[in-house]
Amino acid sequence: MNKEACKKLFYELVYPSLPNEWEVDGIIEEIVELPHSLREQLFEQIPVIWPVSNSLCLSFLEDGVRVIGSIPSDLVPKWVRAILSRYEQQGLGSARGLIVNAEESFLAPLRARNMVRFEDISKRMLFYIRGISGESVDIALDPIPYTDTTTFYVPPTISVMGSYQQNQLLYKFILTLHWGFHFLGTFKICADAGKPHSVNSAHEVGDPEERMVLSDFFSALESPDLAADLFFLIETHRVMNWLKEDLPGLTNEFVQLKSELLRALDYPELGKVSSKLTQLCSFLLFNEEQPQWLKKIKISPAIFLAPSREDTVPLLNVLYEQIAQPDELYRRPLLLELLGKHDFNRASAEIERKRQVMKETFILHLEALKNKHGSSSKQTRSTGIPDEADQAVAILTENTAESESSQLRQVLDNPETELPAELVALMEQIKEDLGHIPPSYFSAASGVSGKGFQRRGTAPVGSEETHDNMEGILLDEWDYRRNGYRKNWCRIYERELPVLHSTFVAATLDKHRGLLIKLRRQFEFMKTNEHFVRRQREGDDLDLDAIVEARGDQRAGISPSSKLFVRLQRNERDIATIFLVDMSNSTEGWVGTVIKEALVLLCEVMDVAGDPYGILGFSGMRRSRCDLYRIKDIEEPYNQNIHQRINSILPREYTRIGPALRYASGKLKSFEARTRLLVTITDGKPEDYDDYKGEYAIEDTRKALMEARGSGIHTFCITVDREAHEYLPQMFGRGNYIFIDEIDKLPMRMIDMYRQLTG
Amino acid sequence: MTFIQSSLEEHLITEEPFYLPVGDEIEIGVATYERKLPLLLKGPTGCGKTRFMQFLAWRLGRPLITVSCHDDLSTSDLVGRYLVKGDETIWVDGPLTRAVRAGGICYLDEIVEARKDTTVVIHPLADDRRELPIDKLGQLLIAPQQFMLGVSYNPGYQSVLKDLKTSTRQRFVSLSFSYPEESLEARIVAEEAGIDLDLARRLVRLATMSRGLRESGLPEGASTRLLINAGLLIKSGITTRTACMVGVVESLTDDPDLLGSLVEMVDAVF
């Protein structure tokens, strides 16, 4: 558009006014120079401002030419509204200030208002990323976003964009991006130590010490930061390409932020290197035009259209050679600062840790499988009729460790073998991670299991500890290796807790006052769960259905029923519960505090529901001293004494859970109730000072729970832990436990769980 | 007042219901029928248990009588009762008795919702005796070859008060249902809602994400049925986002944080 056309358009917009040409000429000259889109944005506002004040409109055009570029297009109308209201309130001079200093007086305050604090949206984002990933990941704060594949780090605030929603979207995008890195295997790309320019993207398991982490590979280059950023950019492009398919909504929303994001994160005086990288960002992330220098390099377009993990490092090498300038200082573009970085050291350490956990669990499962098949094949031999499935596994028991590993393999590969669902899922996970199950896993399993081999302390040593003067109760303990009980193995002492005075209970009640009101109401409702029972011998009203039926029976010559009434039954609940609380020293710190808080809240609401319940704490050391602390007897009323006992719950010694379960279920059995419920609250694996640990402890716990269930007690476990997940289904049984990884949730989840279980 | 019982023919499924097998459940179902065994279907809500039963009934060409169990269901509601009509009394068969007499399939949906003493009535029918005593008529009905008993329940987050009695449970051939794997589920949603496969895939992706929230406090993720509902709404011209909100998200939870994260998922997927 030339100057004349522009002027003509201006006069059309302000018609019927006719400002002097000398007033307009200078302004129009500058406007003509503007890019088309910005010019349009300015002109669009003329009809809005001109009728209010001609001189304001001319100032807007005159000064606006210089600042319009820095204002996001969707904020221009808002900006103009602010200018007009400033004009109306404080006059032309002040309004001009808002035009000239748009950045400080309009955009900065707006950003502060639109700043998103992560803490405000943390839960929403946490559930979002857990849903997306299907894993129980976590989010923590760090100025530069990154992930170690289990925890995702995001900045405490984001305020780059002009609106709250957009800033929130950035959080969501950043989280998804970093999940994408993990999901698409970015952290499994490793450089080959011998050939620094080649990279091995295969699934490596070997010794992590011998593997070259990518950060070392970058360090070998002259500009490690640039190399790392190029790598980050290429991988971001790869992830975005995947997101386009998988989460198109998110990708679309993010790409819409393009112009504003690039503008907000642009800064002048970039060196050659940084500006090339910025161009590359625009091209790779926002599909902007390919920069000239890039066109000159011969890169197959497929690499950009459908990037694969194998392409990343070759592409990185090519781009690095093109961009790197030996004598120039590299400054990281702000966009990358916003999107984050890779922390290979932490990620590989975490991946290695998870692999180790998977390996251990796998070995545990294999051992169990081997023991099971071992014993079944022995039985087969004694009866002399081996069946087909057993033949496949019979060999397991009679060979040396070396050949065992290959036989273990055969057992797993044999379609006839029935594998536990957990093991199948675990094998899938390992295969997904490593591509196959490494032979070392099998040899480890065959080496540690079976006769003659001992693992992490096997037979609990029956060392005779001194008992104190109290007469304890003797209970059996299950030994999975002998497939039988150890008679009178554990000595149980039921003890009183020392009384401690503190304001803990009062403070807890005060802290959760709001929640308590809500919970009490819910439990009140549960208590007065009244309904009509029909066909009663006596009652408040006639049961018409029953009468009609009785009449019919009578006519048909059958003696009619005398149950002809309906009665309002107020509370059919007949549920007795014992809560068994872990008091081992691992609950020290705020885990213990929250468990106590949860107990206080629980007591408050249970009192409302009116169901009888007891609370027992357990801890101890060795089989000779399993202590059970009486916090509340089933029939004891809830009063000041209970407060004091909850006060004095303190972390003590070890977690020998089996005897505690047996004792508690014994107690529960002796209580008359139609439904009996045993709820265990613990924070980790069962373990004692002696050899009560590992498979032995898990199996004993499992057995104790099975015994309880066998005698008609419903068992349920609440585990507060992050790590325990793998063995939980084996120990507690699927669906019989909940797992709480955020301790704050315990009080609410515990009460919710009780309500759901008994509702 | 007259008592009109729907004729059994009305319970005959004439058109093939849409059902995509996930494994060998159809063969197992047919074999169970042929061997005169009762069938127990367990699985989360909306994963296709009832539809499977309908398909099986169609496949076997038997009428399907479905009883939705609730805690007020009495034995007479299942077996039948005398009613007074004018000057005479007439006996009206309950759904279970009708199915036994006609050699149909009786399907007790959500059996754990019924009181335990009610469900005991099916015990003699569910073992090798296959008989239904009707005390009031003084009759003992022997189920014909064509009769089949099916029950279903959701073993998910159940109250301890609503568990299936061991003595009931141990009479059945049990088929475990869960949500089909993603591509299969997408085909089911596409077919049932009449939407294109790509959209169905996205709905399934959303459901998979919501099922990942089980550890975070969502008792059950979105069922296939909810996805079909959302698909049907979309087919009627409701925007995808709104359909997902009213058809899936809002039906899953009231927790504001979970709701918020589910909305984020919807926005990310579509």
PDB file of all heavy atoms in Angstrom, chain A residues 46 74 110 144 176 210 218 226 320 359 447 488 533 548 588 608 615 631 643 646 700 725:
ATOM      1  N   ILE A  46      -8.961   3.162  14.593  1.00  0.00           N
ATOM      2  CA  ILE A  46      -9.293   4.569  14.308  1.00  0.00           C
ATOM      3  C   ILE A  46     -10.779   4.875  14.557  1.00  0.00           C
ATOM      4  O   ILE A  46     -11.111   5.816  15.281  1.00  0.00           O
ATOM      5  CB  ILE A  46      -8.873   4.946  12.867  1.00  0.00           C
ATOM      6  CG1 ILE A  46      -7.337   4.882  12.788  1.00  0.00           C
ATOM      7  CG2 ILE A  46      -9.353   6.351  12.491  1.00  0.00           C
ATOM      8  CD1 ILE A  46      -6.781   5.152  11.416  1.00  0.00           C
ATOM      9  N   ASP A  74      -4.223  -9.929  20.086  1.00  0.00           N
ATOM     10  CA  ASP A  74      -5.511 -10.041  20.761  1.00  0.00           C
ATOM     11  C   ASP A  74      -5.640  -9.095  21.942  1.00  0.00           C
ATOM     12  O   ASP A  74      -6.715  -8.946  22.515  1.00  0.00           O
ATOM     13  CB  ASP A  74      -5.744 -11.496  21.213  1.00  0.00           C
ATOM     14  CG  ASP A  74      -4.653 -11.983  22.145  1.00  0.00           C
ATOM     15  OD1 ASP A  74      -3.506 -11.501  21.992  1.00  0.00           O
ATOM     16  OD2 ASP A  74      -4.933 -12.825  23.011  1.00  0.00           O
ATOM     17  N   LEU A 110      -0.375  -6.286  33.331  1.00  0.00           N
ATOM     18  CA  LEU A 110      -1.271  -7.337  32.823  1.00  0.00           C
ATOM     19  C   LEU A 110      -0.638  -8.707  33.024  1.00  0.00           C
ATOM     20  O   LEU A 110      -1.283  -9.661  33.449  1.00  0.00           O
ATOM     21  CB  LEU A 110      -1.506  -7.082  31.332  1.00  0.00           C
ATOM     22  CG  LEU A 110      -2.689  -7.793  30.729  1.00  0.00           C
ATOM     23  CD1 LEU A 110      -3.972  -7.250  31.335  1.00  0.00           C
ATOM     24  CD2 LEU A 110      -2.704  -7.611  29.217  1.00  0.00           C
ATOM     25  N   ILE A 144      14.102 -24.144  35.743  1.00  0.00           N
ATOM     26  CA  ILE A 144      14.127 -24.648  34.355  1.00  0.00           C
ATOM     27  C   ILE A 144      13.487 -26.033  34.332  1.00  0.00           C
ATOM     28  O   ILE A 144      13.904 -26.922  35.052  1.00  0.00           O
ATOM     29  CB  ILE A 144      15.570 -24.779  33.843  1.00  0.00           C
ATOM     30  CG1 ILE A 144      16.358 -23.502  34.098  1.00  0.00           C
ATOM     31  CG2 ILE A 144      15.578 -25.164  32.371  1.00  0.00           C
ATOM     32  CD1 ILE A 144      16.205 -22.443  33.081  1.00  0.00           C
ATOM     33  N   THR A 176       3.685 -32.092  29.207  1.00  0.00           N
ATOM     34  CA  THR A 176       3.453 -33.114  28.186  1.00  0.00           C
ATOM     35  C   THR A 176       4.726 -33.349  27.372  1.00  0.00           C
ATOM     36  O   THR A 176       5.068 -34.481  27.038  1.00  0.00           O
ATOM     37  CB  THR A 176       2.308 -32.704  27.256  1.00  0.00           C
ATOM     38  OG1 THR A 176       1.266 -32.143  28.044  1.00  0.00           O
ATOM     39  CG2 THR A 176       1.779 -33.875  26.474  1.00  0.00           C
ATOM     40  N   GLU A 210      29.949 -47.879  32.342  1.00  0.00           N
ATOM     41  CA  GLU A 210      30.705 -47.981  31.085  1.00  0.00           C
ATOM     42  C   GLU A 210      30.017 -47.259  29.943  1.00  0.00           C
ATOM     43  O   GLU A 210      30.552 -47.146  28.859  1.00  0.00           O
ATOM     44  CB  GLU A 210      30.881 -49.451  30.704  1.00  0.00           C
ATOM     45  CG  GLU A 210      31.879 -50.155  31.597  1.00  0.00           C
ATOM     46  CD  GLU A 210      31.873 -51.641  31.353  1.00  0.00           C
ATOM     47  OE1 GLU A 210      31.329 -52.066  30.314  1.00  0.00           O
ATOM     48  OE2 GLU A 210      32.400 -52.368  32.213  1.00  0.00           O
ATOM     49  N   PHE A 218      28.364 -34.403  24.822  1.00  0.00           N
ATOM     50  CA  PHE A 218      28.325 -32.970  24.531  1.00  0.00           C
ATOM     51  C   PHE A 218      29.589 -32.286  25.049  1.00  0.00           C
ATOM     52  O   PHE A 218      30.140 -31.414  24.396  1.00  0.00           O
ATOM     53  CB  PHE A 218      27.104 -32.303  25.169  1.00  0.00           C
ATOM     54  CG  PHE A 218      25.789 -32.819  24.637  1.00  0.00           C
ATOM     55  CD1 PHE A 218      24.681 -32.937  25.472  1.00  0.00           C
ATOM     56  CD2 PHE A 218      25.662 -33.191  23.310  1.00  0.00           C
ATOM     57  CE1 PHE A 218      23.484 -33.417  24.994  1.00  0.00           C
ATOM     58  CE2 PHE A 218      24.461 -33.678  22.819  1.00  0.00           C
ATOM     59  CZ  PHE A 218      23.376 -33.798  23.661  1.00  0.00           C
ATOM     60  N   LEU A 226      25.575 -25.448  23.315  1.00  0.00           N
ATOM     61  CA  LEU A 226      24.914 -25.378  22.020  1.00  0.00           C
ATOM     62  C   LEU A 226      24.493 -26.774  21.581  1.00  0.00           C
ATOM     63  O   LEU A 226      23.365 -26.979  21.123  1.00  0.00           O
ATOM     64  CB  LEU A 226      25.859 -24.757  20.987  1.00  0.00           C
ATOM     65  CG  LEU A 226      25.339 -24.754  19.558  1.00  0.00           C
ATOM     66  CD1 LEU A 226      24.123 -23.861  19.423  1.00  0.00           C
ATOM     67  CD2 LEU A 226      26.417 -24.306  18.573  1.00  0.00           C
ATOM     68  N   TYR A 320      25.181 -28.936  14.161  1.00  0.00           N
ATOM     69  CA  TYR A 320      26.213 -28.353  15.032  1.00  0.00           C
ATOM     70  C   TYR A 320      27.351 -27.792  14.191  1.00  0.00           C
ATOM     71  O   TYR A 320      27.815 -26.681  14.405  1.00  0.00           O
ATOM     72  CB  TYR A 320      26.724 -29.421  15.999  1.00  0.00           C
ATOM     73  CG  TYR A 320      27.802 -28.902  16.935  1.00  0.00           C
ATOM     74  CD1 TYR A 320      27.455 -28.187  18.067  1.00  0.00           C
ATOM     75  CD2 TYR A 320      29.149 -29.116  16.659  1.00  0.00           C
ATOM     76  CE1 TYR A 320      28.437 -27.692  18.923  1.00  0.00           C
ATOM     77  CE2 TYR A 320      30.137 -28.620  17.504  1.00  0.00           C
ATOM     78  CZ  TYR A 320      29.772 -27.913  18.632  1.00  0.00           C
ATOM     79  OH  TYR A 320      30.749 -27.418  19.465  1.00  0.00           O
ATOM     80  N   LYS A 359      13.957 -55.555  38.106  1.00  0.00           N
ATOM     81  CA  LYS A 359      14.752 -56.781  38.097  1.00  0.00           C
ATOM     82  C   LYS A 359      14.522 -57.557  39.394  1.00  0.00           C
ATOM     83  O   LYS A 359      14.259 -58.757  39.364  1.00  0.00           O
ATOM     84  CB  LYS A 359      16.233 -56.428  37.941  1.00  0.00           C
ATOM     85  CG  LYS A 359      17.149 -57.633  37.881  1.00  0.00           C
ATOM     86  CD  LYS A 359      18.582 -57.196  37.685  1.00  0.00           C
ATOM     87  CE  LYS A 359      19.513 -58.401  37.800  1.00  0.00           C
ATOM     88  NZ  LYS A 359      20.908 -58.037  37.622  1.00  0.00           N
ATOM     89  N   GLY A 447      20.327 -68.481  40.577  1.00  0.00           N
ATOM     90  CA  GLY A 447      21.406 -68.463  41.553  1.00  0.00           C
ATOM     91  C   GLY A 447      20.919 -68.262  42.967  1.00  0.00           C
ATOM     92  O   GLY A 447      21.503 -68.753  43.902  1.00  0.00           O
ATOM     93  N   ASN A 488       4.355 -71.713  67.507  1.00  0.00           N
ATOM     94  CA  ASN A 488       4.623 -70.818  68.646  1.00  0.00           C
ATOM     95  C   ASN A 488       5.873 -69.969  68.437  1.00  0.00           C
ATOM     96  O   ASN A 488       6.758 -69.910  69.274  1.00  0.00           O
ATOM     97  CB  ASN A 488       4.767 -71.638  69.933  1.00  0.00           C
ATOM     98  CG  ASN A 488       3.468 -72.330  70.253  1.00  0.00           C
ATOM     99  OD1 ASN A 488       2.397 -71.854  69.844  1.00  0.00           O
ATOM    100  ND2 ASN A 488       3.547 -73.436  70.952  1.00  0.00           N
ATOM    101  N   VAL A 533     -38.185 -52.147  55.813  1.00  0.00           N
ATOM    102  CA  VAL A 533     -38.036 -53.568  55.526  1.00  0.00           C
ATOM    103  C   VAL A 533     -39.436 -54.156  55.397  1.00  0.00           C
ATOM    104  O   VAL A 533     -40.327 -53.843  56.184  1.00  0.00           O
ATOM    105  CB  VAL A 533     -37.240 -54.327  56.613  1.00  0.00           C
ATOM    106  CG1 VAL A 533     -35.764 -54.149  56.395  1.00  0.00           C
ATOM    107  CG2 VAL A 533     -37.623 -53.878  57.994  1.00  0.00           C
ATOM    108  N   VAL A 548     -51.660 -58.714  49.407  1.00  0.00           N
ATOM    109  CA  VAL A 548     -52.247 -59.216  48.152  1.00  0.00           C
ATOM    110  C   VAL A 548     -51.803 -60.651  47.920  1.00  0.00           C
ATOM    111  O   VAL A 548     -52.588 -61.532  47.574  1.00  0.00           O
ATOM    112  CB  VAL A 548     -51.830 -58.304  46.971  1.00  0.00           C
ATOM    113  CG1 VAL A 548     -52.243 -58.919  45.650  1.00  0.00           C
ATOM    114  CG2 VAL A 548     -52.422 -56.919  47.137  1.00  0.00           C
ATOM    115  N   GLU A 588       8.737 -42.246  61.211  1.00  0.00           N
ATOM    116  CA  GLU A 588       9.219 -41.036  61.870  1.00  0.00           C
ATOM    117  C   GLU A 588       9.051 -39.839  60.929  1.00  0.00           C
ATOM    118  O   GLU A 588       9.170 -39.943  59.729  1.00  0.00           O
ATOM    119  CB  GLU A 588      10.699 -41.203  62.224  1.00  0.00           C
ATOM    120  CG  GLU A 588      11.274 -40.004  62.926  1.00  0.00           C
ATOM    121  CD  GLU A 588      12.168 -40.399  64.093  1.00  0.00           C
ATOM    122  OE1 GLU A 588      12.681 -41.521  64.060  1.00  0.00           O
ATOM    123  OE2 GLU A 588      12.317 -39.571  65.004  1.00  0.00           O
ATOM    124  N   VAL A 608     -19.604 -40.618  65.160  1.00  0.00           N
ATOM    125  CA  VAL A 608     -20.888 -40.210  64.588  1.00  0.00           C
ATOM    126  C   VAL A 608     -21.589 -41.421  63.972  1.00  0.00           C
ATOM    127  O   VAL A 608     -22.791 -41.633  64.151  1.00  0.00           O
ATOM    128  CB  VAL A 608     -20.682 -39.114  63.517  1.00  0.00           C
ATOM    129  CG1 VAL A 608     -21.996 -38.760  62.864  1.00  0.00           C
ATOM    130  CG2 VAL A 608     -20.041 -37.890  64.150  1.00  0.00           C
ATOM    131  N   ILE A 615      -8.509 -49.570  67.791  1.00  0.00           N
ATOM    132  CA  ILE A 615      -7.267 -49.181  67.125  1.00  0.00           C
ATOM    133  C   ILE A 615      -6.111 -49.836  67.862  1.00  0.00           C
ATOM    134  O   ILE A 615      -6.023 -49.759  69.088  1.00  0.00           O
ATOM    135  CB  ILE A 615      -7.072 -47.650  67.138  1.00  0.00           C
ATOM    136  CG1 ILE A 615      -8.264 -46.950  66.514  1.00  0.00           C
ATOM    137  CG2 ILE A 615      -5.803 -47.262  66.401  1.00  0.00           C
ATOM    138  CD1 ILE A 615      -8.222 -45.442  66.638  1.00  0.00           C
ATOM    139  N   ILE A 631      -4.636 -48.725  71.571  1.00  0.00           N
ATOM    140  CA  ILE A 631      -4.970 -47.301  71.498  1.00  0.00           C
ATOM    141  C   ILE A 631      -6.452 -47.131  71.798  1.00  0.00           C
ATOM    142  O   ILE A 631      -6.857 -46.220  72.494  1.00  0.00           O
ATOM    143  CB  ILE A 631      -4.608 -46.726  70.108  1.00  0.00           C
ATOM    144  CG1 ILE A 631      -3.100 -46.867  69.910  1.00  0.00           C
ATOM    145  CG2 ILE A 631      -5.029 -45.272  69.972  1.00  0.00           C
ATOM    146  CD1 ILE A 631      -2.628 -46.753  68.506  1.00  0.00           C
ATOM    147  N   HIS A 643      -7.670 -39.717  73.220  1.00  0.00           N
ATOM    148  CA  HIS A 643      -6.895 -38.561  72.742  1.00  0.00           C
ATOM    149  C   HIS A 643      -5.454 -38.690  73.190  1.00  0.00           C
ATOM    150  O   HIS A 643      -4.522 -38.542  72.409  1.00  0.00           O
ATOM    151  CB  HIS A 643      -7.451 -37.260  73.348  1.00  0.00           C
ATOM    152  CG  HIS A 643      -8.670 -36.781  72.636  1.00  0.00           C
ATOM    153  ND1 HIS A 643      -9.303 -35.607  72.944  1.00  0.00           N
ATOM    154  CD2 HIS A 643      -9.384 -37.310  71.636  1.00  0.00           C
ATOM    155  CE1 HIS A 643     -10.342 -35.446  72.168  1.00  0.00           C
ATOM    156  NE2 HIS A 643     -10.422 -36.479  71.371  1.00  0.00           N
ATOM    157  N   ILE A 646      -3.578 -41.444  71.451  1.00  0.00           N
ATOM    158  CA  ILE A 646      -3.190 -41.084  70.072  1.00  0.00           C
ATOM    159  C   ILE A 646      -1.998 -40.132  70.120  1.00  0.00           C
ATOM    160  O   ILE A 646      -1.060 -40.247  69.337  1.00  0.00           O
ATOM    161  CB  ILE A 646      -4.373 -40.451  69.305  1.00  0.00           C
ATOM    162  CG1 ILE A 646      -5.464 -41.483  69.074  1.00  0.00           C
ATOM    163  CG2 ILE A 646      -3.916 -39.910  67.944  1.00  0.00           C
ATOM    164  CD1 ILE A 646      -6.693 -40.970  68.368  1.00  0.00           C
ATOM    165  N   ASP A 700       4.620 -64.287  54.720  1.00  0.00           N
ATOM    166  CA  ASP A 700       3.972 -64.441  56.022  1.00  0.00           C
ATOM    167  C   ASP A 700       2.802 -63.467  56.146  1.00  0.00           C
ATOM    168  O   ASP A 700       1.722 -63.840  56.605  1.00  0.00           O
ATOM    169  CB  ASP A 700       4.985 -64.191  57.147  1.00  0.00           C
ATOM    170  CG  ASP A 700       4.306 -64.263  58.512  1.00  0.00           C
ATOM    171  OD1 ASP A 700       3.641 -65.285  58.770  1.00  0.00           O
ATOM    172  OD2 ASP A 700       4.424 -63.309  59.298  1.00  0.00           O
ATOM    173  N   HIS A 725       5.042 -50.266  45.403  1.00  0.00           N
ATOM    174  CA  HIS A 725       3.983 -50.697  44.519  1.00  0.00           C
ATOM    175  C   HIS A 725       4.108 -52.114  43.978  1.00  0.00           C
ATOM    176  O   HIS A 725       3.137 -52.819  43.846  1.00  0.00           O
ATOM    177  CB  HIS A 725       3.912 -49.713  43.365  1.00  0.00           C
ATOM    178  CG  HIS A 725       2.538 -49.639  42.816  1.00  0.00           C
ATOM    179  ND1 HIS A 725       2.271 -49.151  41.578  1.00  0.00           N
ATOM    180  CD2 HIS A 725       1.374 -49.995  43.336  1.00  0.00           C
ATOM    181  CE1 HIS A 725       0.980 -49.226  41.368  1.00  0.00           C
ATOM    182  NE2 HIS A 725       0.414 -49.715  42.421  1.00  0.00           N
TER     183      HIS A 725
END
